[in-house]
mmCIF file of all heavy atoms in Angstrom:
data_model
loop_
_atom_site.group_PDB
_atom_site.id
_atom_site.type_symbol
_atom_site.label_atom_id
_atom_site.label_comp_id
_atom_site.label_asym_id
_atom_site.label_seq_id
_atom_site.Cartn_x
_atom_site.Cartn_y
_atom_site.Cartn_z
ATOM 1 N N SER A 1 164.888 -0.105 58.094
ATOM 2 C CA SER A 1 165.040 1.046 58.994
ATOM 3 C C SER A 1 166.087 2.041 58.508
ATOM 4 O O SER A 1 166.254 3.111 59.081
ATOM 5 C CB SER A 1 165.408 0.565 60.402
ATOM 6 O OG SER A 1 166.653 -0.114 60.387
ATOM 7 N N GLY A 2 166.820 1.662 57.460
ATOM 8 C CA GLY A 2 167.859 2.546 56.931
ATOM 9 C C GLY A 2 169.212 1.868 56.915
ATOM 10 O O GLY A 2 169.294 0.642 56.800
ATOM 11 N N THR A 3 170.274 2.648 57.027
ATOM 12 C CA THR A 3 171.635 2.127 56.987
ATOM 13 C C THR A 3 172.087 1.715 58.379
ATOM 14 O O THR A 3 171.971 2.479 59.342
ATOM 15 C CB THR A 3 172.612 3.177 56.433
ATOM 16 O OG1 THR A 3 172.209 3.545 55.112
ATOM 17 C CG2 THR A 3 174.028 2.634 56.388
ATOM 18 N N VAL A 4 172.593 0.487 58.477
ATOM 19 C CA VAL A 4 173.114 -0.037 59.742
ATOM 20 C C VAL A 4 174.628 -0.189 59.611
ATOM 21 O O VAL A 4 175.106 -0.877 58.706
ATOM 22 C CB VAL A 4 172.483 -1.401 60.088
ATOM 23 C CG1 VAL A 4 173.097 -1.961 61.372
ATOM 24 C CG2 VAL A 4 170.977 -1.285 60.206
ATOM 25 N N GLU A 5 175.364 0.454 60.496
ATOM 26 C CA GLU A 5 176.822 0.340 60.491
ATOM 27 C C GLU A 5 177.220 -0.846 61.358
ATOM 28 O O GLU A 5 177.273 -0.745 62.581
ATOM 29 C CB GLU A 5 177.459 1.633 60.997
ATOM 30 C CG GLU A 5 177.233 2.818 60.086
ATOM 31 C CD GLU A 5 177.948 4.064 60.581
ATOM 32 O OE1 GLU A 5 178.831 3.949 61.452
ATOM 33 O OE2 GLU A 5 177.606 5.144 60.095
ATOM 34 N N ALA A 6 177.509 -1.969 60.721
ATOM 35 C CA ALA A 6 177.844 -3.199 61.458
ATOM 36 C C ALA A 6 179.264 -3.174 61.991
ATOM 37 O O ALA A 6 179.552 -3.720 63.064
ATOM 38 C CB ALA A 6 177.651 -4.407 60.559
ATOM 39 N N LEU A 7 180.181 -2.567 61.219
ATOM 40 C CA LEU A 7 181.577 -2.443 61.639
ATOM 41 C C LEU A 7 182.032 -1.013 61.389
ATOM 42 O O LEU A 7 181.748 -0.441 60.337
ATOM 43 C CB LEU A 7 182.475 -3.409 60.853
ATOM 44 C CG LEU A 7 182.190 -4.910 60.989
ATOM 45 C CD1 LEU A 7 183.084 -5.697 60.031
ATOM 46 C CD2 LEU A 7 182.393 -5.388 62.422
ATOM 47 N N ARG A 8 182.776 -0.469 62.370
ATOM 48 C CA ARG A 8 183.233 0.909 62.243
ATOM 49 C C ARG A 8 184.719 1.017 62.551
ATOM 50 O O ARG A 8 185.161 0.764 63.673
ATOM 51 C CB ARG A 8 182.447 1.835 63.188
ATOM 52 C CG ARG A 8 180.985 1.999 62.814
ATOM 53 C CD ARG A 8 180.341 3.157 63.574
ATOM 54 N NE ARG A 8 180.274 2.875 64.999
ATOM 55 C CZ ARG A 8 179.262 2.213 65.571
ATOM 56 N NH1 ARG A 8 178.268 1.751 64.838
ATOM 57 N NH2 ARG A 8 179.241 2.006 66.868
ATOM 58 N N ASP A 9 185.485 1.351 61.521
ATOM 59 C CA ASP A 9 186.910 1.677 61.662
ATOM 60 C C ASP A 9 187.668 0.605 62.463
ATOM 61 O O ASP A 9 188.332 0.895 63.449
ATOM 62 C CB ASP A 9 187.071 3.043 62.324
ATOM 63 C CG ASP A 9 188.454 3.630 62.091
ATOM 64 O OD1 ASP A 9 189.069 3.331 61.052
ATOM 65 O OD2 ASP A 9 188.938 4.391 62.962
ATOM 66 N N ILE A 10 187.579 -0.633 61.983
ATOM 67 C CA ILE A 10 188.255 -1.750 62.647
ATOM 68 C C ILE A 10 189.731 -1.768 62.238
ATOM 69 O O ILE A 10 190.062 -1.748 61.052
ATOM 70 C CB ILE A 10 187.613 -3.091 62.272
ATOM 71 C CG1 ILE A 10 186.131 -3.110 62.658
ATOM 72 C CG2 ILE A 10 188.381 -4.254 62.903
ATOM 73 C CD1 ILE A 10 185.850 -3.113 64.125
ATOM 74 N N ASN A 11 190.616 -1.825 63.243
ATOM 75 C CA ASN A 11 192.055 -1.935 63.005
ATOM 76 C C ASN A 11 192.613 -3.053 63.884
ATOM 77 O O ASN A 11 192.556 -2.962 65.111
ATOM 78 C CB ASN A 11 192.766 -0.621 63.325
ATOM 79 C CG ASN A 11 192.464 0.469 62.314
ATOM 80 O OD1 ASN A 11 193.078 0.552 61.257
ATOM 81 N ND2 ASN A 11 191.484 1.316 62.643
ATOM 82 N N LEU A 12 193.130 -4.095 63.237
ATOM 83 C CA LEU A 12 193.689 -5.235 63.961
ATOM 84 C C LEU A 12 194.917 -5.760 63.233
ATOM 85 O O LEU A 12 194.960 -5.746 61.996
ATOM 86 C CB LEU A 12 192.672 -6.380 64.070
ATOM 87 C CG LEU A 12 191.452 -6.212 64.974
ATOM 88 C CD1 LEU A 12 190.522 -7.409 64.812
ATOM 89 C CD2 LEU A 12 191.863 -6.050 66.427
ATOM 90 N N THR A 13 195.890 -6.240 63.993
ATOM 91 C CA THR A 13 197.033 -6.950 63.420
ATOM 92 C C THR A 13 197.099 -8.329 64.060
ATOM 93 O O THR A 13 197.184 -8.446 65.287
ATOM 94 C CB THR A 13 198.351 -6.203 63.668
ATOM 95 O OG1 THR A 13 198.293 -4.919 63.030
ATOM 96 C CG2 THR A 13 199.538 -6.984 63.113
ATOM 97 N N ILE A 14 197.035 -9.362 63.237
ATOM 98 C CA ILE A 14 197.067 -10.746 63.704
ATOM 99 C C ILE A 14 198.337 -11.383 63.150
ATOM 100 O O ILE A 14 198.487 -11.544 61.935
ATOM 101 C CB ILE A 14 195.812 -11.505 63.239
ATOM 102 C CG1 ILE A 14 194.558 -10.807 63.800
ATOM 103 C CG2 ILE A 14 195.873 -12.965 63.683
ATOM 104 C CD1 ILE A 14 193.257 -11.263 63.183
ATOM 105 N N GLU A 15 199.262 -11.698 64.042
ATOM 106 C CA GLU A 15 200.551 -12.237 63.615
ATOM 107 C C GLU A 15 200.419 -13.691 63.187
ATOM 108 O O GLU A 15 199.541 -14.421 63.656
ATOM 109 C CB GLU A 15 201.573 -12.135 64.759
ATOM 110 C CG GLU A 15 201.800 -10.729 65.305
ATOM 111 C CD GLU A 15 202.623 -9.850 64.376
ATOM 112 O OE1 GLU A 15 203.217 -10.394 63.415
ATOM 113 O OE2 GLU A 15 202.678 -8.637 64.612
ATOM 114 N N LYS A 16 201.326 -14.108 62.325
ATOM 115 C CA LYS A 16 201.352 -15.505 61.884
ATOM 116 C C LYS A 16 201.567 -16.400 63.100
ATOM 117 O O LYS A 16 202.453 -16.171 63.908
ATOM 118 C CB LYS A 16 202.471 -15.711 60.857
ATOM 119 C CG LYS A 16 202.516 -17.116 60.269
ATOM 120 C CD LYS A 16 203.556 -17.215 59.179
ATOM 121 C CE LYS A 16 203.668 -18.632 58.626
ATOM 122 N NZ LYS A 16 202.407 -19.113 58.049
ATOM 123 N N GLY A 17 200.732 -17.416 63.237
ATOM 124 C CA GLY A 17 200.860 -18.349 64.353
ATOM 125 C C GLY A 17 200.084 -17.960 65.597
ATOM 126 O O GLY A 17 200.068 -18.701 66.583
ATOM 127 N N ASP A 18 199.413 -16.808 65.572
ATOM 128 C CA ASP A 18 198.570 -16.402 66.703
ATOM 129 C C ASP A 18 197.348 -17.306 66.820
ATOM 130 O O ASP A 18 196.841 -17.833 65.821
ATOM 131 C CB ASP A 18 198.046 -14.966 66.513
ATOM 132 C CG ASP A 18 199.028 -13.900 66.987
ATOM 133 O OD1 ASP A 18 199.993 -14.244 67.698
ATOM 134 O OD2 ASP A 18 198.817 -12.720 66.635
ATOM 135 N N ILE A 19 196.857 -17.463 68.052
ATOM 136 C CA ILE A 19 195.475 -17.878 68.256
ATOM 137 C C ILE A 19 194.792 -16.631 68.795
ATOM 138 O O ILE A 19 194.938 -16.264 69.957
ATOM 139 C CB ILE A 19 195.340 -19.049 69.240
ATOM 140 C CG1 ILE A 19 196.166 -20.251 68.778
ATOM 141 C CG2 ILE A 19 193.875 -19.456 69.377
ATOM 142 C CD1 ILE A 19 196.044 -21.475 69.680
ATOM 143 N N PHE A 20 194.083 -15.957 67.922
ATOM 144 C CA PHE A 20 193.563 -14.614 68.195
ATOM 145 C C PHE A 20 192.069 -14.695 68.450
ATOM 146 O O PHE A 20 191.307 -15.166 67.611
ATOM 147 C CB PHE A 20 193.849 -13.701 67.000
ATOM 148 C CG PHE A 20 193.693 -12.232 67.289
ATOM 149 C CD1 PHE A 20 194.814 -11.434 67.497
ATOM 150 C CD2 PHE A 20 192.439 -11.646 67.358
ATOM 151 C CE1 PHE A 20 194.682 -10.072 67.757
ATOM 152 C CE2 PHE A 20 192.295 -10.296 67.627
ATOM 153 C CZ PHE A 20 193.422 -9.502 67.831
ATOM 154 N N GLY A 21 191.646 -14.228 69.612
ATOM 155 C CA GLY A 21 190.233 -14.257 69.959
ATOM 156 C C GLY A 21 189.562 -12.923 69.699
ATOM 157 O O GLY A 21 190.135 -11.866 69.946
ATOM 158 N N ILE A 22 188.339 -12.971 69.190
ATOM 159 C CA ILE A 22 187.496 -11.778 69.048
ATOM 160 C C ILE A 22 186.212 -12.070 69.798
ATOM 161 O O ILE A 22 185.464 -12.979 69.441
ATOM 162 C CB ILE A 22 187.218 -11.447 67.574
ATOM 163 C CG1 ILE A 22 188.537 -11.183 66.832
ATOM 164 C CG2 ILE A 22 186.298 -10.226 67.458
ATOM 165 C CD1 ILE A 22 188.385 -11.006 65.329
ATOM 166 N N ILE A 23 185.971 -11.314 70.863
ATOM 167 C CA ILE A 23 184.833 -11.601 71.731
ATOM 168 C C ILE A 23 183.869 -10.425 71.754
ATOM 169 O O ILE A 23 184.286 -9.265 71.686
ATOM 170 C CB ILE A 23 185.306 -11.952 73.160
ATOM 171 C CG1 ILE A 23 184.133 -12.447 74.004
ATOM 172 C CG2 ILE A 23 186.002 -10.769 73.839
ATOM 173 C CD1 ILE A 23 184.538 -13.138 75.294
ATOM 174 N N GLY A 24 182.589 -10.736 71.808
ATOM 175 C CA GLY A 24 181.571 -9.698 71.873
ATOM 176 C C GLY A 24 180.211 -10.322 72.127
ATOM 177 O O GLY A 24 180.023 -11.532 71.946
ATOM 178 N N LEU A 25 179.276 -9.508 72.555
ATOM 179 C CA LEU A 25 177.912 -9.976 72.766
ATOM 180 C C LEU A 25 177.224 -10.229 71.423
ATOM 181 O O LEU A 25 177.740 -9.831 70.368
ATOM 182 C CB LEU A 25 177.130 -8.931 73.563
ATOM 183 C CG LEU A 25 177.647 -8.624 74.974
ATOM 184 C CD1 LEU A 25 176.914 -7.418 75.543
ATOM 185 C CD2 LEU A 25 177.490 -9.830 75.884
#
């Protein structure tokens, strides 16, 4: 179907020792 943008301009900071959740459908 063409070009699919799976991720767009993602900016995250994950500190050492974090339990960091990423949630989405």
Side-chain angles (χ1 to χ4, degrees):
S1 62
T3 301
V4 177
E5 294 183 15
L7 299 174
R8 292 193 294 273
D9 199 29
I10 301 292
N11 289 277
L12 290 174
T13 298
I14 300 167
E15 303 286 348
K16 184 175 177 60
D18 275 346
I19 303 182
F20 195 102
I22 300 173
I23 188 165
L25 298 171

